[in-house]
């Protein structure tokens, strides 16, 4: 009987391990033995979910050759991992990753903390704010009043409620992008939209071009779908999209689809200007690549005077290149799992037809709630409240991080929900691990890259403010001191604090 469910090759594991770069050791700091460093590196990859649990590891000789170390070093590292519960082995079956009894399985995405953990852990893992009340309650009440006629139907609307499709189409038209309801499909959040698009356009083994860095959960979704991710490096800071690189990748790799977040990019916060959008669409059209434009952050400008560029689909008047994805989850509330796709009518028909073998449709009550918000002006008032919350949190977090961690580098975006931070040479993976020990949960940079990129970064969302932002920065500073001192997290229990 099989004891492992996947396998990782020696070359891939070596790339992931070699990406873990720490700040050089200071005077008097002792480096761990080579086998201990290797064991710690593999353990970190398992804890972060970048190497799955129950993944078969390479044979000792193969990994030793890939890392240019002795086989004895690899054997000792494997033995240490077995002793700590992170590796299991059986003669004839090899060795595979595990987690010690009692430990939670590592998350491969950025799942929010369970509510019972929020009292002891500051959660900087998820870029989502509480609901903008009273608008959530009012929207649900309005939806209940509109529900009775729909209750007399079968309740399955694979393309979405006609009223909501029409409303979304009208909103695009008001932005200068003429749109018919036949160009809209309502989905279960933006993730549901992108999953459907990937299954329609990119089968297993197809190339998909992605920004580097990019949104971690979408990268994982595409990996699970069997896509071959082709990273395209972003320019430094908030400069955004390097068009020469994009043209080269689209021309040489010929990816079937490409995924971009042009509106307050997740995680960097960059905003593509009109010229960048025009050139991205032209490059995709020339290469025959379908361009997925994620607009989930498009209404979250935070500073006065921000002029929003034309939507990416506005540079594709024929509608043959760009597929747009929107959502209520970021601008309104993550618990409102309503998303949508804007595309050419034939693409929408294909997506709707494929839905019979997926989720059949999106919950009617939530669609009615979003339609109520759109039709009453409640959406605009709720989003304005959301902008105020995010702005206050951003400013508090920036002030606290600059005070507690002056060596960390970042540029402050004009919108969105995230801060992309260079950690002064410290390993983002080890900061994430040490953060769990001192009571702050933060995702490391490699979650937003491909094959171990961005080890020297973390992402900080605008989800806490005031005294909690101050405490979060102090806990991050404590985690940074532990990482800089070379402390090991192996086998130790997390410390807990009351926020």
């Amino acid at each position: 009987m099989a004891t492992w469910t996947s396998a990782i090759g020696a070359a891939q594991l070596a790339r992931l391990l070699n990406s873990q770069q720490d700040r050089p050791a200071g005077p008097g700091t002792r480096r761990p033995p080579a086998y201990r460093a290797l064991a710690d590196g593999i353990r970190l990859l398992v804890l972060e979910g970048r190497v799955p649990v129950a993944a078969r590891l390479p044979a000792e000789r193969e990994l030793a050759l890939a890392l240019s170390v002795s086989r004895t070093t690899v054997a000792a590292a494997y033995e240490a991992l077995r002793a700590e519960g992170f590796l299991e082995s059986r003669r004839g079956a090899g060795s595979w990753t595990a987690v010690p009894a009692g430990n939670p399985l590592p998350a491969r995405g950025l799942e929010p903390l369970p509510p019972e953990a929020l009292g002891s852990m500051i959660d900087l893992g998820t870029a989502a704010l509480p609901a903008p009340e009273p608008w959530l309650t009012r929207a649900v009440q309005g939806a209940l009043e509109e529900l009775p006629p729909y209750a007399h139907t079968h309740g399955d609307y694979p393309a979405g409620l006609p009223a909501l499709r029409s409303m979304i189409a009208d909103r695009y038209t008001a932005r200068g992008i003429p749109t018919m309801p036949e160009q809209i499909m309502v989905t279960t959040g933006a993730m549901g939209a992108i999953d459907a698009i990937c299954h329609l356009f990119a089968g297993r083994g197809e190339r998909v071009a992605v920004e580097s860095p990019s949104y971690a959960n979408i990268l994982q979704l595409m990996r699970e779908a069997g896509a071959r991710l082709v990273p395209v490096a972003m320019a430094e800071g908030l400069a955004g999209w390097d068009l020469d690189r994009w043209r080269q990748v689209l021309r040489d790799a010929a990816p079937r689809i490409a995924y971009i977040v042009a509106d307050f990019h997740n995680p960097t916060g960059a905003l593509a200007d009109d010229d960048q959008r025009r050139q991205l669409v032209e490059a995709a059209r020339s290469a025959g690549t379908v361009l997925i434009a994620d607009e989930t952050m498009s209404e979250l400008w935070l500073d006065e005077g921000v002029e929003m560029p034309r939507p990416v689909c506005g540079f594709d008047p024929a509608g043959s290149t760009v597929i747009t994805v929107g959502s209520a989850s970021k601008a309104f509330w993550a618990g409102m799992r309503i998303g949508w796709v804007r595309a050419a009518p034939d693409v929408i028909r294909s997506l709707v037809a494929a839905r019979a073998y997926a989720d059949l449709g999106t919950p009617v009550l939530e669609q009615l709630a979003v339609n109520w918000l759109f039709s009453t002006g409640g959406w605009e008032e709720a989003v304005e409240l959301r902008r105020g919350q995010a702005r206050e949190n951003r400013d508090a977090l920036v002030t606290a991080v600059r005070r507690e961690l002056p060596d960390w580098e970042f540029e402050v975006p004009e919108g969105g929900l995230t801060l992309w931070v260079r950690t002064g040479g410290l390993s983002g993976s080890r900061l994430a691990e040490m953060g769990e020990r001192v009571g702050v949960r933060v995702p490391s940079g490699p979650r937003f890259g491909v094959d171990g990129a961005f080890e020297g970064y973390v992402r900080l969302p605008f989800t806490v403010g005031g005294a909690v932002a101050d405490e979060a920065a102090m806990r991050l500073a404590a985690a940074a001191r532990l990482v800089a001192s070379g402390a090991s997290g192996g086998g130790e229990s997390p410390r807990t604090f009351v926020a």
Side-chain angles (χ1 to χ4, degrees):
M1 184 175 66
T3 50
W4 46 272
T5 57
S6 63
I8 182 167
Q12 182 185 5
L13 182 55
R15 285 197 303 273
L16 292 171
L17 290 166
N18 288 334
S19 73
Q20 297 173 334
Q21 299 295 327
D22 282 339
R23 174 182 291 170
T29 302
R30 296 180 59 188
R31 285 290 189 188
Y35 85 89
R36 182 69 262 174
L38 176 55
D40 287 347
I42 294 174
R43 175 173 53 78
L44 272 175
L45 293 172
V46 173
L47 287 172
E48 282 211 315
R50 289 193 284 147
V51 170
V53 175
R56 187 177 187 273
L57 294 186
E60 295 170 2
R61 189 185 302 278
E62 294 174 0
L63 186 57
L65 287 172
L67 293 173
S68 298
V69 299
S70 71
R71 183 178 177 182
T72 301
T73 296
V74 177
Y78 279 14
E79 182 57 38
L81 290 168
R82 276 189 287 269
E84 296 163 6
F86 286 95
L87 197 68
E88 296 181 11
S89 303
R90 194 172 68 193
R91 185 179 296 277
S95 299
W96 57 95
T97 56
V99 292
N103 280 36
L105 287 175
R108 300 202 68 183
L110 301 179
E111 291 81 356
L113 282 174
E116 62 270 17
L118 294 177
S120 60
M121 185 76 68
I122 297 176
D123 185 10
L124 297 181
T126 304
L129 290 161
E133 288 288 30
W135 296 107
L136 174 62
T137 298
R138 291 180 183 177
V140 173
Q141 290 171 342
L144 288 171
E145 294 175 2
E146 299 292 330
L147 182 61
Y150 295 94
H152 294 291
T153 73
H154 49 65
D156 286 336
Y157 296 88
L161 295 184
L164 181 55
R165 296 177 71 195
S166 180
M167 184 64 69
I168 294 170
D170 289 346
R171 290 174 65 84
Y172 277 106
T173 299
R175 295 168 66 189
I177 313 297
T179 302
M180 304 179 296
E182 292 79 9
Q183 292 177 263
I184 302 296
M185 181 177 82
V186 181
T187 62
T188 307
M191 292 287 287
I194 294 170
D195 183 53
I197 296 166
C198 287
H199 278 89
L200 180 63
F201 284 97
R204 298 192 70 84
E206 291 275 8
R207 293 186 180 93
V208 177
V210 294
E211 298 148 329
S212 184
S214 187
Y215 178 35
N217 285 340
I218 293 297
L219 294 181
Q220 190 57 37
L221 181 155
M222 291 175 173
R223 290 187 188 102
E224 297 290 345
R228 296 166 60 190
L229 300 183
V230 182
V232 187
M234 297 282 284
E236 284 294 317
L238 299 178
W241 293 260
D242 185 325
L243 277 306
D244 288 337
R245 288 175 178 170
W246 270 99
R247 277 188 287 267
Q248 180 182 355
V249 168
L250 293 176
R251 181 182 64 246
D252 295 347
R256 185 69 182 89
I257 59 178
Y259 169 76
I260 63 167
V261 186
D263 300 287
F264 306 118
H265 175 261
N266 186 354
T268 68
L271 176 65
D273 61 27
D274 281 329
D275 189 54
Q276 288 174 319
R277 294 167 190 242
R278 180 182 297 106
Q279 292 190 56
L280 281 167
V281 173
E282 291 173 354
R285 184 184 297 118
S286 297
T289 297
V290 174
L291 186 64
I292 304 174
D294 185 333
E295 285 191 338
T296 53
M297 298 279 192
S298 64
E299 297 189 63
L300 290 176
W301 62 86
L302 304 183
D303 292 336
E304 296 294 332
V306 176
E307 293 188 13
M308 291 301 296
R310 187 172 174 80
V312 175
C313 59
F315 299 97
D316 180 36
S320 59
T321 299
V322 178
I323 297 179
T324 303
V325 171
S327 171
S329 298
K330 293 297 185 184
F332 185 76
W333 184 48
M336 189 68 77
R337 304 304 304 158
I338 298 294
W340 52 86
V341 177
R342 182 199 180 276
D346 62 320
V347 172
I348 294 297
R349 286 192 294 270
S350 297
L351 289 170
V352 171
R355 205 165 190 184
Y357 311 101
D359 61 356
L360 293 178
T362 303
V364 169
L365 189 62
E366 291 185 31
Q367 292 188 71
L368 288 172
V370 172
N371 193 60
W372 183 91
L373 288 165
F374 285 157
S375 61
T376 62
W379 177 268
E380 284 72 23
E381 294 197 40
V383 172
E384 184 60 35
L385 178 61
R386 168 68 79 240
R387 292 191 196 108
Q389 292 174 318
R391 184 185 308 115
E392 291 178 5
N393 289 352
R394 179 198 63 181
D395 295 346
L397 187 65
V398 165
T399 299
V401 172
R402 282 176 171 165
R403 181 183 64 245
E404 300 295 333
L405 293 150
D407 291 340
W408 288 18
E409 302 172 37
F410 53 85
E411 292 189 39
V412 181
E414 296 178 307
L417 290 173
T418 58
L419 197 66
W420 185 238
V421 182
R422 192 193 302 268
T423 56
L426 297 179
S427 161
S429 299
R430 286 178 167 78
L431 281 166
E433 182 188 22
M434 294 302 173
E436 295 276 351
R437 293 176 60 192
V438 299
V440 59
R441 182 173 182 254
V442 58
S444 68
R447 286 188 177 275
F448 304 89
V450 177
D451 277 344
F454 307 109
E455 186 61 56
Y457 290 81
V458 294
R459 189 195 74 172
L460 305 180
F462 310 145
T463 52
V464 297
V468 181
D470 291 336
E471 179 65 20
M474 287 189 285
R475 295 185 187 186
L476 284 172
R481 288 191 293 271
L482 287 172
V483 173
S485 70
S488 171
E492 298 189 29
S493 299
R495 295 172 59 192
T496 56
F497 295 80
V498 178

